[in-house]
Amino acid sequence: GYQQSLAVLEHAKRYRPDLVTKSSIMLGLGETAEEVHQAMRDLRDVGVEIMTFGQYLQPTKRHMKVTRYVEPSEFDEWARAGEALGLHVASGPLVR
């Protein structure tokens, strides 16, 4: 789960400090702004340097449905928020 993913990223950085670590968040699945902010802080705190934000797109009808389509301006806001935390960020609907 979430804590295990954070632990793996933290261990990778501790074991290989020269290793660049990256994580991604897909938006449009019902997340709240506070959940996204907390995830960014958690990732930064375990040493992640790069984050990407993209739009979740339902691959087939058997997969989870898109809750909402994120406006381009919101992707820009997430990029600024991540950069304010010291992260390198790529953010946009088709960013993976």
Side-chain angles (χ1 to χ4, degrees):
Y2 182 74
Q3 293 301 323
Q4 183 177 9
S5 295
L6 289 174
V8 167
L9 290 163
E10 185 174 35
H11 176 77
K13 190 52 106 174
R14 196 173 331 119
Y15 183 72
R16 289 270 317 270
D18 60 315
L19 188 70
V20 176
T21 50
K22 170 192 172 267
S23 190
S24 300
I25 295 178
M26 289 289 106
L27 301 172
L29 286 163
E31 68 285 331
T32 66
E34 180 51 38
E35 289 171 331
V36 177
H37 280 290
Q38 186 61 55
M40 287 191 298
R41 289 188 297 268
D42 292 345
L43 289 163
R44 180 212 46 207
D45 291 348
V46 298
V48 170
E49 297 135 310
I50 300 172
M51 281 207 63
T52 64
F53 294 91
Q55 172 68 55
Y56 171 72
L57 300 171
Q58 183 181 11
T60 71
K61 292 181 190 228
R62 290 184 288 163
H63 288 81
M64 291 175 55
K65 293 185 183 298
V66 174
T67 302
R68 71 184 178 98
Y69 288 95
V70 178
E71 294 290 328
S73 60
E74 186 176 339
F75 284 106
D76 295 340
E77 291 170 19
W78 289 123
R80 285 191 295 275
E83 289 164 356
L85 291 172
L87 298 163
H88 299 281
V89 180
S91 183
L94 299 178
V95 172
R96 297 292 181 261

